[in-house]
Amino acid sequence: MLAHDGHNCLDVDECLENNGGCQHTCVNVMGSYECRCKEGFFLSDNQHTCIHRSEEGLSCMNKNHGCSHICKEAPRGSVACECRPGFELAKNQRDCTLTCNHGNGGCHHSCEDTAAGPECSCHPQYKMHTDGRSCLEREDAALEVMESNATSMADGDKRVKRRLLMETCAVNNGGCDRTCKDTSTGVHCSCPVGFSLQLDGKTCKDIDECQTRNGGCDHFCKNTVGSFDCSCKKGFKLLTDEKSCQDVDECSLDRTCDHSCINHPGTFACACNKGYTLYGFTHCGDTNECSVNNGGCQQVCVNTVGSYECRCHSAHKLHWNKKDCVEVEGVLPTSVSSHVSLQCGKSGGGDRCFLRCLSGIHLSSGLQEAYSVTCGSSSPLRSKQQKSNDSAFGDVATIRTSVTFKLNEGKCSLKKADLFPEGLRPVLPEKHSSVKESFRYANLTCSSGKQVPGAPGRPSTPKEMFITVEFELETNQKEVTASCDPSCIIKRTEKRLRKAIRTLRKAAHREQFHLQLSGVDLEVAKKSPQTSEHWAESCGVGQGHVGNQCVSCRAGTYYDGVQERCILCPNGTFQNEEGQITCEPCPRPENPGALETPEAWNASECGGLCQPGEYSADGFAPCQLCALGTFQPEAGRTSCFSCGGGLLTKHLGATSFQDCETRVQCSPGHFYNTTTHRCIRCPAGTYQPEFGKNNCVSCPGNTTTDFDGSTNITQCKNRRCGGELGDFTGYIESPNYPGNYPANTECTWTINPPPKRRILIVVPEIFLPIEDDCGDYLVMRKTASSNSVTTYETCQTYERPIAFTSRSKKLWIQFKSNEGNSARGFQVPYVTYDEDYQELIEDIVRDGRLYASENHQEILKHCGCGLRTALSLTRFSLLWAHVLDMSRAG
């Protein structure tokens, strides 16, 4: 760097900033710096990270390999030494000799390479210092001219003549710091852009552009010698004008959030669909509602994916509030109630099928480009634990079947279909119907598979699509005849269903399977990736237009398929969920208060319901306060929950267990046991963030906690090792990333690229606990053997990005954490490239300029950009190789 005097150059100590990027020790040298490793480690090819060395065998793993700088393993177990830039390999093929290309050979002025090493010399009017490198100005240089002129001129004339004789650009650059120009009046000094000429007319001083309007930078300005650099806050990127900052839309990147992503300036937030809980910052797991107060169910609570349901014991039925159970006389009715119909008929040379929902419609959206529609009501005897496809109770036989269609390409999108012109809907004559069935219950689920990454520069494989339809049909004693007993009826029905499923499968593959909800015909999915303009502009079912966007109809409204917009629930109805196509009738519609319910979003708004802390025989007024020792947190209930253990509440009408007068108050991470009247630690896999609770909340999805007594959802972690491994691109990530990984976990990955391809890896950043004993570590080797060739190994947090190539054709990667540690971990992308470009890509990733500026580092580190950066490095290398080939060819 230029010294303040504007003449001399001072060595920059690179080790002062981020330890020079060295993993262990940084040593500053004249004009450069070196990374060195602690005992038991050696420097990897990237000259920054350190690899644990083995003491056995003649290889670069042996500390006695003898190479002064870089050691590379050669065939047949030998080693080959290389030197860092600016050095030459000595005759002994081990040592490295300094050249003028490294820090000007240590010379102050001129440097010339000789057989003995760099030889220094000085500019005219300077003399060599005794150190053989520095140059000093000769004091007698200016006086020699004066002594040769023995005149008797006045002192003033002597000074003028001396100045005219001395001031020439040929001597000491005319005294100018930078540019010198000879003129008739003497020399004229000037400065380059970024410097200002001082009052002495010779010295150039750096201009601090950041002092004026922040250098024009949007966010941060950093002054440099002769220039300045702009940089942006986290979550923003620098535009091509190198001054303006633009928000990075993380939601446009792959794998940002499991469900919904909301972009904010400089950051983003993930949200989960109803029935799911956010964990690890970006992931969504099923909420086990039954773990808290039995889901509010009076008898049985059954958790389902994305929801739950209350069930009742025999001789009971579910109350309208879907939580309480009321006693019924007798057993299940013998009449079959039909809520769903499936009708298929010939159309255009093939079958066209309609699944019509007549009642009990429920629409829910899962992951992006996925949905589920439920029609009718499942049998009360239906249980997830049942293994058989049918069940019988008394005179009723319940037959269940399901079918899954797999389409090689397509998109789940439930949207209106214009099947018939001018709204005319021809009714298929029954004699022309190839299938006509009625069901008690049906569930249709559509999900899109993941796109398979293609080779660099090639498009990705289209998404797979899966459509699953589950049917439930009932038979009863009235269908039994003398020639066909109940077993015969079941067999006939099953045979009829198999035929219906075959027809349905053919219709689905021809895009002729449609769903009819509330009189609106809908396309179940779109098989072809090319879509019409009308398709692109229309919104999905349960969604309406807001400006140019499609949004789900909110609670208190429903989707009108004819008008294709969201409508307020009419008086006497309510809707407590988003994206639904009907509104539910209020309980006890004869209640006058139930008629005043515009935009009702909950049954409690229908009027006359008992409020929390109250109950009645049917959930409506007149209501009673919960007695002492009981509580009720919900409206419209028929009973109150007991505190248990003989505990009383502080007052009548209690609304939560926290109103119960416990003997001790339990702190977060504990629950109150009403039998022992003691606080018990929440078991592993559960947590409790509040004081004075009698339960612990189950961790969402497949997550669990490291220990018992957890107090927060952030302590719930997914132990699955993350990543996707492809032949051309892929990535690995620590469990639960970007949340903290669990303790006592171990992951292994193997990257085995196709023949004649090598691996390029980018480590944007890695967060591991800083310890002396390296309890948590990430290692990349050729095989699982500790003696195999090691490419990368670390047990520390390393926020500076780095790119490197694998030292072996395939990689065995292991991540391990001990029983007491946890940190954010890592996400490491990779690409594979043609091995013909091995040396070229290695030269690029070793070039320090790749990591030189903060903006370069932010690009490498940015969420979702690591894989893109690796691909860009590969493509740049291939392009540069092509340019070299063309220039060689003339």
Side-chain angles (χ1 to χ4, degrees):
M1 63 179 290
L2 193 66
H4 292 298
D5 61 9
H7 289 73
N8 296 306
C9 293
L10 301 178
D11 171 56
V12 174
D13 187 353
E14 295 87 351
C15 297
L16 294 179
E17 184 175 353
N18 196 26
N19 196 38
C22 301
Q23 185 176 3
H24 286 180
T25 306
C26 179
V27 179
N28 185 56
V29 297
M30 182 67 70
S32 185
Y33 69 102
E34 296 177 358
C35 295
R36 298 178 183 175
C37 298
K38 300 175 183 177
E39 183 67 26
F41 293 81
F42 72 93
L43 201 62
S44 66
D45 289 348
N46 59 44
Q47 300 298 298
H48 285 81
T49 58
C50 297
I51 299 174
H52 184 72
R53 61 159 56 104
S54 171
E55 299 295 336
E56 300 177 2
L58 180 58
S59 68
C60 292
M61 303 293 285
N62 194 311
K63 65 180 180 179
N64 297 319
H65 54 66
C67 294
S68 178
H69 283 184
I70 303 171
C71 175
K72 280 198 168 183
E73 294 182 3
R76 300 179 182 178
S78 61
V79 297
C81 300
E82 292 183 3
C83 296
R84 291 191 291 271
F87 292 82
E88 290 182 350
L89 197 63
K91 292 182 180 180
N92 62 11
Q93 299 298 307
R94 291 287 186 269
D95 297 328
C96 293
T97 305
L98 178 68
T99 69
C100 294
N101 291 329
H102 184 83
N104 199 38
C107 299
H108 196 176
H109 283 182
S110 301
C111 178
E112 182 178 355
D113 286 316
T114 67
E119 185 174 296
C120 302
S121 60
C122 298
H123 297 321
Q125 309 302 325
Y126 286 83
K127 63 179 181 180
M128 182 67 67
H129 190 272
T130 54
D131 61 8
R133 297 188 177 190
S134 305
C135 294
L136 303 176
E137 187 176 3
R138 292 170 54 187
E139 296 178 358
D140 59 339
L143 297 177
E144 289 179 358
V145 178
M146 295 302 297
E147 291 173 354
S148 66
N149 189 359
T151 65
S152 58
M153 297 177 62
D155 292 342
D157 294 336
K158 291 180 180 180
R159 286 195 297 271
V160 172
K161 184 176 182 180
R162 177 187 175 190
R163 179 181 178 185
L164 291 174
L165 289 173
M166 286 295 300
E167 288 194 343
T168 171
C169 294
V171 178
N172 195 26
N173 198 38
C176 300
D177 268 1
R178 294 299 177 94
T179 305
C180 179
K181 183 178 181 181
D182 285 311
T183 66
S184 58
T185 58
V187 299
H188 176 72
C189 301
S190 61
C191 300
V193 176
F195 293 84
S196 62
L197 192 64
Q198 299 303 290
L199 295 176
D200 61 4
K202 297 180 180 295
T203 307
C204 294
K205 183 180 179 181
D206 171 55
I207 299 173
D208 187 354
E209 295 85 353
C210 297
Q211 296 296 324
T212 305
R213 299 190 307 275
N214 196 40
C217 303
D218 272 3
H219 290 177
F220 305 120
C221 180
K222 181 180 180 181
N223 187 53
T224 61
V225 178
S227 186
F228 66 100
D229 287 328
C230 296
S231 58
C232 301
K233 300 175 183 175
K234 187 174 183 180
F236 293 84
K237 62 181 178 183
L238 196 66
L239 299 183
T240 53
D241 64 3
E242 297 188 348
K243 291 185 177 182
S244 305
C245 294
Q246 184 184 67
D247 171 56
V248 175
D249 184 3
E250 294 88 352
C251 297
S252 66
L253 304 174
D254 296 333
R255 305 189 304 269
T256 301
C257 298
D258 281 359
H259 286 185
S260 303
C261 180
I262 305 166
N263 187 55
H264 300 292
T267 185
F268 69 98
C270 295
C272 298
N273 298 332
K274 184 178 179 181
Y276 293 82
T277 301
L278 188 69
Y279 72 90
F281 302 110
T282 64
H283 302 296
C284 295
D286 170 56
T287 304
N288 184 2
E289 294 88 351
C290 297
S291 67
V292 179
N293 199 30
N294 197 39
C297 302
Q298 187 181 46
Q299 292 186 4
V300 181
C301 180
V302 178
N303 185 55
T304 60
V305 177
S307 184
Y308 75 106
E309 57 183 81
C310 297
R311 296 178 183 172
C312 301
H313 300 312
S314 59
H316 290 77
K317 69 176 181 178
L318 206 59
H319 188 257
W320 64 263
N321 61 24
K322 307 297 183 183
K323 299 287 184 73
D324 292 317
C325 295
V326 294
E327 191 173 357
V328 294
E329 296 181 2
V331 292
L332 293 176
T334 58
S335 61
V336 179
S337 55
S338 174
H339 302 280
V340 193
S341 68
L342 175 66
Q343 185 175 3
C344 300
K346 297 294 182 181
S347 174
D351 286 295
R352 171 180 283 180
C353 292
F354 286 89
L355 182 65
R356 293 187 171 94
C357 292
L358 308 178
S359 63
I361 303 171
H362 182 81
L363 175 66
S364 63
S365 59
L367 300 175
Q368 188 178 7
E369 297 183 4
Y371 64 84
S372 177
V373 179
T374 299
C375 305
S377 59
S378 178
S379 168
L381 299 174
R382 190 167 184 263
S383 172
K384 287 185 175 293
Q385 280 71 39
Q386 279 184 303
K387 296 182 180 179
S388 61
N389 285 333
D390 53 73
S391 60
F393 183 84
D395 296 333
V396 180
T398 302
I399 301 174
R400 303 184 186 92
T401 187
S402 64
V403 58
T404 299
F405 313 127
K406 177 183 175 182
L407 304 181
N408 291 330
E409 58 182 42
K411 176 180 179 182
C412 294
S413 190
L414 196 62
K415 296 188 178 181
K416 185 178 178 182
D418 296 324
L419 303 178
F420 308 105
E422 301 178 2
L424 298 178
R425 187 186 310 282
V427 179
L428 290 172
E430 191 165 334
K431 63 180 180 179
H432 293 158
S433 297
S434 56
V435 173
K436 187 175 177 63
E437 290 289 345
S438 297
F439 302 95
R440 172 192 175 95
Y441 169 86
N443 177 267
L444 185 147
T445 302
C446 185
S447 60
S448 299
K450 296 181 178 179
Q451 282 184 324
V452 181
R458 299 180 186 174
S460 299
T461 305
K463 293 184 177 181
E464 296 177 338
M465 185 174 60
F466 300 91
I467 301 175
T468 301
V469 188
E470 182 181 3
F471 295 107
E472 189 174 298
L473 181 148
E474 287 185 352
T475 62
N476 56 47
Q477 189 67 31
K478 292 181 179 180
E479 298 180 33
V480 177
T481 64
S483 60
C484 190
D485 60 9
S487 177
C488 167
I489 294 295
I490 292 175
K491 289 181 179 180
R492 281 184 182 179
T493 305
E494 289 176 343
K495 182 178 180 180
R496 201 169 65 242
L497 286 179
R498 285 195 294 270
K499 177 187 175 184
I501 287 175
R502 285 195 300 269
T503 305
L504 186 60
R505 187 186 298 275
K506 294 177 183 177
H509 282 280
R510 293 180 62 247
E511 297 186 52
Q512 294 299 316
F513 175 30
H514 304 284
L515 183 66
Q516 189 183 102
L517 303 178
S518 300
V520 180
D521 291 319
L522 307 167
E523 290 187 346
V524 173
K526 196 69 175 176
K527 180 180 178 183
S528 173
Q530 288 82 22
T531 59
S532 66
E533 186 175 343
H534 172 75
W535 178 275
E537 292 178 353
S538 63
C539 291
V541 171
Q543 293 185 325
H545 278 291
V546 175
N548 295 325
Q549 293 184 325
C550 294
V551 297
S552 296
C553 296
R554 56 188 171 85
T557 66
Y558 72 99
Y559 177 75
D560 188 304
V562 178
Q563 303 182 51
E564 294 189 2
R565 64 189 184 95
C566 303
I567 306 293
L568 294 178
C569 286
N571 286 337
T573 65
F574 73 95
Q575 181 52 259
N576 59 357
E577 296 187 41
E578 294 182 352
Q580 298 303 307
I581 59 175
T582 59
C583 292
E584 300 291 333
C586 284
R588 292 210 327 192
E590 68 277 12
N591 185 348
L595 299 179
E596 300 298 329
T597 61
E599 200 179 351
W601 60 270
N602 195 289
S604 62
E605 296 188 18
C606 288
L609 285 179
C610 295
Q611 297 304 302
E614 300 177 343
Y615 75 101
S616 70
D618 58 2
F620 287 93
C623 307
Q624 292 179 285
L625 294 175
C626 289
L628 293 177
T630 64
F631 64 93
Q632 180 51 258
E634 300 179 20
R637 299 302 297 267
T638 62
S639 62
C640 297
F641 296 105
S642 172
C643 290
L647 299 177
L648 298 178
T649 49
K650 302 171 185 176
H651 51 78
L652 295 172
T655 59
S656 73
F657 180 80
Q658 289 164 312
D659 293 325
C660 300
E661 293 185 307
T662 56
R663 298 180 186 178
V664 293
Q665 186 183 37
C666 297
S667 59
H670 299 74
F671 71 96
Y672 188 84
N673 188 310
T674 55
T675 302
T676 62
H677 296 285
R678 296 175 60 187
C679 295
I680 308 296
R681 290 173 65 87
C682 289
T686 66
Y687 66 98
Q688 179 51 258
E690 297 184 48
F691 284 91
K693 287 291 189 176
N694 65 332
N695 55 63
C696 295
V697 184
S698 292
C699 285
N702 296 321
T703 63
T704 186
T705 57
D706 291 336
F707 311 101
D708 59 0
S710 297
T711 61
N712 197 287
I713 180 66
T714 59
Q715 294 169 286
C716 294
K717 304 169 186 176
N718 193 328
R719 301 189 67 87
R720 186 181 66 85
C721 302
E724 293 181 6
L725 306 181
D727 287 344
F728 299 98
T729 65
Y731 70 97
I732 64 168
E733 67 180 15
S734 54
N736 205 54
Y737 185 87
N740 286 358
Y741 56 77
N744 201 26
T745 188
E746 181 176 352
C747 296
T748 56
W749 302 268
T750 300
I751 303 175
N752 194 2
K756 295 186 178 181
R757 297 190 71 83
R758 301 298 292 264
I759 307 169
L760 169 64
I761 302 161
V762 176
V763 182
E765 53 188 356
I766 181 169
F767 297 91
L768 302 176
I770 299 176
E771 291 187 329
D772 292 335
D773 59 354
C774 285
D776 299 3
Y777 64 86
L778 175 68
V779 62
M780 302 182 186
R781 294 197 291 259
K782 181 178 180 180
T783 65
S785 171
S786 60
N787 293 326
S788 63
V789 177
T790 302
T791 292
Y792 179 81
E793 184 175 21
T794 185
C795 60
Q796 299 178 12
T797 292
Y798 199 60
E799 297 188 54
R800 181 168 174 162
I802 189 169
F804 53 89
T805 57
S806 171
R807 300 179 66 208
S808 53
K809 288 191 175 182
K810 66 178 182 178
L811 275 181
W812 178 86
I813 305 173
Q814 183 185 51
F815 168 66
K816 204 168 186 179
S817 66
N818 66 16
E819 67 280 356
N821 288 336
S822 184
R824 183 179 174 186
F826 55 86
Q827 184 183 78
V828 176
Y830 72 89
V831 297
T832 63
Y833 59 92
D834 194 313
E835 64 181 13
D836 291 343
Y837 304 106
Q838 171 78 2
E839 292 187 11
L840 179 59
I841 292 183
E842 282 188 353
D843 288 342
I844 293 174
V845 298
R846 289 180 186 175
D847 193 330
R849 290 172 294 179
L850 185 64
Y851 322 98
S853 72
E854 293 181 5
N855 290 321
H856 289 178
Q857 295 180 33
E858 285 303 314
I859 291 172
L860 286 169
K861 290 166 60 175
H862 199 276
C863 173
C865 288
L867 182 56
R868 296 182 186 180
T869 302
L871 285 169
S872 298
L873 288 174
T874 306
R875 288 167 182 160
F876 172 76
S877 303
L878 301 182
L879 176 62
W880 182 243
H882 180 64
V883 172
L884 292 178
D885 290 341
M886 290 180 65
S887 52
R888 290 192 191 102

